[in-house]
Each structure stands twice: as structure tokens, then as C-alpha cells.
Amino acid sequence: MIKIKKYKDEKYIITKHNHYKDNICLEIQVNLGSFFDPSYWFGISHFLEHLLFRQTSDFTKEELVQEWKKTFYFNAFTGHNSIFFEFCFLKKNTEDIFKIISSIFFNSIFDETTLNIERDIIIEELKGSNINSDDILLDNIHYSFFKDSKLNYDILGTLDTLKNIDTHAIELWYYVFQQSDRIFSISGNIEEKDFTYCLDKYFCNKENPVLWENIKTYWKNIDRLNSSNDYHLNLIKGIRIPSTLCIDCDFNTSKLELNKFNLSSLQSLIIITNKLPGYKYYISNKYLDQLLDLVLFSDSSSYFFQKIREEKGYCYSLDQYGIEFFNFSLEYFQIKTSRKKVKKVISLFLDLIDSLHDFSVFESVFKDLNLFKDKIICSYNFEFNIPSIKNYFELDERIIEEKKIPSHIMKVTIKDLYEYYNDYYNSSQMKVSIYY
């Protein structure tokens, strides 16, 4: 068990304390993702994430490059809910790393030349996503389920909205970024008092008054942002973006979808999507979804892979993914096969789903449950791993389960799994899409 703690205005989690290693991993989740982008500037959260690593008032571009050499891994990426930052470094460099991160969070500099260079890079990234089959399939799932929501847009934005983003827009959104909730998750050889010292020195009560004055002079043009429903209309000094992303999707399972796709005539892709509980059910699920995924879908030893690929030879690839939100999640299965086997694959997959509602069949599939429990426990007990903090903004100060010591797994019975399966897995509730 771990607890989300608060130090002044900052939330943090100490996920694993190890005195015997010099390594430290830090993940920072900022509650500002593409879902909150103004429609006129869609893609601005991702754009800002790119620009943050360019230059600050404390470090030139060359100095930043030199400072980042003190990490042995760093990365940033933007999702629908949040912007994530990941850093791995040696204990001796802890304060230096916090100083750099604080500088990019509060003192970044944005100039027109750098912005134009980065815009061209993002446009190339956008074009590249249009030739990647996995990206296109994921986008199609979003388009299908979130037609009336910002979630049906690419996180990168569009060619038109990217052209609308100038330095004034970036400075405004940078201020919103600074005001948004943050949560820190850290693991490795660091004492809590040393961590809170760095929080206090480099993050707590930080503000950029010059930036705020620049934004106020630009605010008169805010009516250019042309949607009265956008969250940005409430983004004024002292007000933060709401952290709960309670949305729903149009989950219409009444018909099969056929989609033309850039494939040879001999190939097809099948997407079978299922709606499941979201973040707010995380504790009550007690790892049921993880055990189900591991036994049924996750790898080449899984039940569905063995039945569809190994025994029948109906497909050459069967992968399972998920998209999670606060109040629901989507689990989808991507199956690659030849066009002539599409009907056989779909029929067998849905028949297998329904057959497991027979308890005797379900029990036989899960007879080695303890082996799978051990497999999950091993996966969470790597000596060193970047922490995954999911959407802990929603959990606030409550005590949550530590995923690296999953004690609840040992208490799960086959009956628990069967009841969970019956509640959320039914072929009539699944949506099937074919890409050819």
C-alpha cells in the first residue's frame, strides 16, 4: 500500500525506496492533455511539450544539451489526459536534474524561429502517422467512438490548427501548463526528506509574473478561439483545468463496420472492441482484468492465441490494447489475417468469448491460475522500473494499492474472475470493424 501525499501544493508518490542502487527514476504527470486544447489551437499541448526542451532563461540550448547528459534516460509525451515526463538519473545528480526540470517548467523561452522549426517537425510527425497502420487503426477507433468529442482528433492537431499556433498562443498555454495540477512519482535511492527538499526549492509556489503580464495583454484576442464550450474560456488566473475526464462514447454494436484501408488485396485487419470499467474501478477490480488479459489474450501462450492462431492457423497476429479513462475504458483486439479467413476469425473469436460463460469451460482454462499470479508478481518485481502513475489525480488523498507489490492477486479466485468476465465480456456487446 502506498499513499498519495501532499507537500504544499504538490502531490507525490514514493513508489519504491532502494538503498542499494544509485539509480533514481522520476515521472511527472501534468494534468493538461489534448482533450483540453482550444479548438482553434488544437495540438497545442503536444506542441508545447516539444518546445519545453529547447531553451530557458537559465540555460541556453547548448547548456541544456550538456545538462541532459546527466540523465541516462529522459522522455516526454502527450496524451489525451496529461503530458508525461520521465527521467532516470544517478543519485548524485538529483538536485541538478530538479533544477533543469524546474527551469523548463517555469522559465522556458519561446521564439518565432524555434517555433517554426518545431512546427515543421510536428507536421512531418503528423504525415508519418498517416502511413503507420497501427496509428491509423487507433485513430479510426477514436473517430468511431468519439465523434462528438475532442477525442476524435489526433493529439498532434491538424495542418490548419498548427498554423494558428504562434508565440502568443504558446505563452498563454505555457501559463496554463504551469497552473495545472502535477503529480510526481519517484522510485530508487532517495529519502523522502530529500525529495520534498527538491520540491520545495524548485517547484512549490513558483510563478512567472512576466509571463502572466504578457498573457493579459493578449487576452483581448481570446474571442478568436471559436468554441464557447472549450475549457480555455475558464482558464483565468487561479483557476485550474478540471482533472476528471468523465466522458462516454457512442458504443453502437448493431452493425459490422467495413473500412477501406491501404493494404494489399490479400490482407485484412480486424478490430474487435469491448467496453470495460475505467480508472475509478481500479481498486475494486483487484487485478481481475490483468489476470484475464494474461490468461486469455496477452501473449503466445494465451488461450485465444492458441485457439485461433496455433490450432487453426486463422491469423498471423493477435494483439490486445486498451484506452483508459476515468469512468470507462476500451479494450480492443487487433487481428491480422488474410481476407479469405476474416469470417472464420470473427466467428471463432466471438464463439470463444461466449463459450467461457460456461463455468466448466472457464474453470478448465484457468486451472493454472497460481502460475499466472506468479507471472504477474514477477513482472512487478523488477529491481528497477520507471513508475507508472496512471490517473492518480482522480484518487486524491486516498490510499491506493501499490502495483509493485500486488498482494491482492493471491486472494483472487476462479469464481471472482468468472463473475467479472460474465459482467463485461459478451459477444453481443462487442463492436467488430474490418479494414481491408
Side-chain angles (χ1 to χ4, degrees):
M1 303 287 279
I2 60 173
K3 185 177 181 181
I4 297 176
K5 299 183 179 181
K6 240 185 162 180
Y7 184 81
K8 298 186 178 178
D9 286 335
E10 303 294 345
K11 292 180 183 177
Y12 69 92
I13 308 167
I14 304 289
T15 60
K16 189 174 183 181
H17 187 188
N18 188 336
H19 290 285
Y20 305 105
K21 297 285 183 180
D22 288 331
N23 298 349
I24 294 174
C25 275
L26 171 68
E27 183 175 271
I28 307 172
Q29 182 176 344
V30 181
N31 186 211
L32 186 73
S34 67
F35 183 79
F36 306 108
D37 288 355
S39 55
Y40 187 77
W41 294 333
F42 202 80
I44 194 170
S45 292
H46 175 259
F47 206 141
L48 175 63
E49 172 232 307
H50 275 235
L51 291 170
L52 289 176
F53 291 86
R54 288 286 191 166
Q55 186 177 350
T56 77
S57 59
D58 308 304
F59 300 95
T60 64
K61 180 180 178 181
E62 292 74 21
E63 288 171 339
L64 270 181
V65 171
Q66 191 63 31
E67 289 297 314
W68 287 127
K69 292 179 181 178
K70 294 177 181 177
T71 68
F72 56 88
Y73 172 86
F74 73 94
N75 189 30
F77 56 95
T78 303
H80 291 293
N81 295 345
S82 305
I83 303 176
F84 297 85
F85 301 86
E86 299 173 336
F87 309 92
C88 292
F89 48 90
L90 294 177
K91 179 181 176 65
K92 66 180 182 180
N93 294 324
T94 299
E95 191 163 349
D96 288 343
I97 298 302
F98 270 88
K99 183 178 180 180
I100 304 167
I101 299 170
S102 175
S103 186
I104 67 172
F105 271 46
F106 299 105
N107 297 313
S108 284
I109 296 174
F110 311 106
D111 62 75
E112 199 68 38
T113 301
T114 302
L115 187 141
N116 289 332
I117 292 172
E118 204 61 49
R119 190 198 330 270
D120 290 341
I121 291 172
I122 294 172
I123 288 173
E124 289 304 312
E125 186 180 354
L126 186 62
K127 291 177 180 178
S129 68
N130 292 331
I131 60 174
N132 183 303
S133 62
D134 288 342
D135 288 343
I136 294 173
L137 289 174
L138 185 58
D139 287 344
N140 271 279
I141 288 172
H142 279 93
Y143 297 150
S144 178
F145 293 118
F146 306 114
K147 293 177 182 177
D148 299 319
S149 161
K150 287 184 182 179
L151 293 176
N152 72 343
Y153 295 111
D154 195 310
I155 289 170
L156 305 182
T158 69
L159 293 177
D160 289 334
T161 59
L162 288 172
K163 291 176 184 176
N164 296 332
I165 299 172
D166 56 17
T167 52
H168 293 298
I170 288 293
E171 283 188 344
L172 188 151
W173 210 243
Y174 185 45
Y175 181 80
V176 173
F177 170 85
Q178 292 175 354
Q179 295 298 303
S180 299
D181 283 327
R182 292 182 290 269
I183 189 163
F184 296 76
S185 179
I186 194 162
S187 64
N189 188 358
I190 186 167
E191 298 283 353
E192 188 168 352
K193 61 180 178 59
D194 297 329
F195 178 52
T196 54
Y197 166 80
C198 289
L199 281 184
D200 191 38
K201 185 173 181 179
Y202 295 108
F203 281 90
C204 293
N205 303 316
K206 291 282 186 180
E207 191 166 300
N208 190 326
V210 176
L211 179 65
W212 176 241
E213 290 302 317
N214 290 343
I215 288 170
K216 284 198 294 187
T217 62
Y218 187 62
W219 205 264
K220 60 184 178 182
N221 295 321
I222 197 69
D223 59 339
R224 290 169 53 203
L225 313 182
N226 53 14
S227 171
S228 61
N229 295 321
D230 279 351
Y231 281 97
H232 70 274
L233 294 178
N234 292 320
L235 295 176
I236 59 176
K237 190 174 176 66
I239 296 182
R240 296 183 176 189
I241 284 178
S243 60
T244 301
L245 231 175
C246 278
I247 57 174
D248 213 332
C249 63
D250 178 18
F251 203 78
N252 181 3
T253 58
S254 61
K255 63 180 181 180
L256 189 72
E257 281 194 0
L258 292 173
N259 306 272
K260 287 189 176 181
F261 195 57
N262 186 23
L263 293 170
S264 75
S265 60
L266 300 179
Q267 290 181 301
S268 289
L269 294 168
I270 303 166
I271 301 292
I272 301 176
T273 316
N274 191 32
K275 190 174 179 180
L276 295 171
Y279 287 131
K280 69 178 179 180
Y281 300 102
Y282 174 66
I283 295 174
S284 59
N285 284 349
K286 295 188 296 188
Y287 299 93
L288 298 179
D289 54 343
Q290 294 178 36
L291 281 165
L292 279 176
D293 289 344
L294 182 63
V295 177
L296 298 179
F297 310 116
S298 67
D299 56 29
S300 58
S301 67
S302 65
Y303 180 67
F304 274 65
F305 189 90
Q306 288 293 317
K307 289 291 184 183
I308 297 174
R309 186 187 188 280
E310 301 296 272
E311 292 184 15
K312 297 292 186 181
Y314 283 172
C315 68
Y316 55 90
S317 168
L318 196 164
D319 299 303
Q320 181 254 0
Y321 304 94
I323 307 169
E324 294 183 274
F325 301 99
F326 181 64
N327 53 323
F328 77 95
S329 62
L330 294 177
E331 177 181 47
Y332 62 98
F333 307 93
Q334 178 178 294
I335 306 171
K336 298 178 182 179
T337 186
S338 63
R339 291 192 67 180
K340 64 181 181 180
K341 294 180 180 178
V342 166
K343 291 183 178 179
K344 292 180 179 178
V345 170
I346 295 172
S347 177
L348 179 56
F349 186 97
L350 297 180
D351 285 347
L352 288 172
I353 289 288
D354 289 340
S355 70
L356 289 169
H357 289 289
D358 182 330
F359 183 74
S360 61
V361 176
F362 190 92
E363 190 175 32
S364 67
V365 173
F366 285 83
K367 65 181 184 298
D368 296 322
L369 183 58
N370 285 335
L371 291 177
F372 291 105
K373 290 178 182 179
D374 290 342
K375 191 171 181 178
I376 287 185
I377 289 173
C378 286
S379 72
Y380 284 120
N381 276 328
F382 286 120
E383 189 64 27
F384 190 65
N385 200 5
I386 295 175
S388 176
I389 59 180
K390 294 175 77 74
N391 201 356
Y392 288 165
F393 296 113
E394 314 302 346
L395 301 178
D396 198 36
E397 295 298 306
R398 290 185 297 168
I399 292 177
I400 62 170
E401 293 176 71
E402 166 59 280
K403 290 189 69 178
K404 294 187 180 298
I405 311 173
S407 58
H408 279 85
I409 286 179
M410 302 313 296
K411 300 175 184 177
V412 174
T413 66
I414 291 179
K415 186 177 179 181
D416 293 330
L417 287 166
Y418 180 69
E419 291 174 353
Y420 180 83
Y421 183 88
N422 276 342
D423 286 340
Y424 297 110
Y425 288 84
N426 191 304
S427 64
S428 64
Q429 298 172 358
M430 293 183 167
K431 184 167 185 174
V432 180
S433 300
I434 302 172
Y435 298 81
Y436 62 95

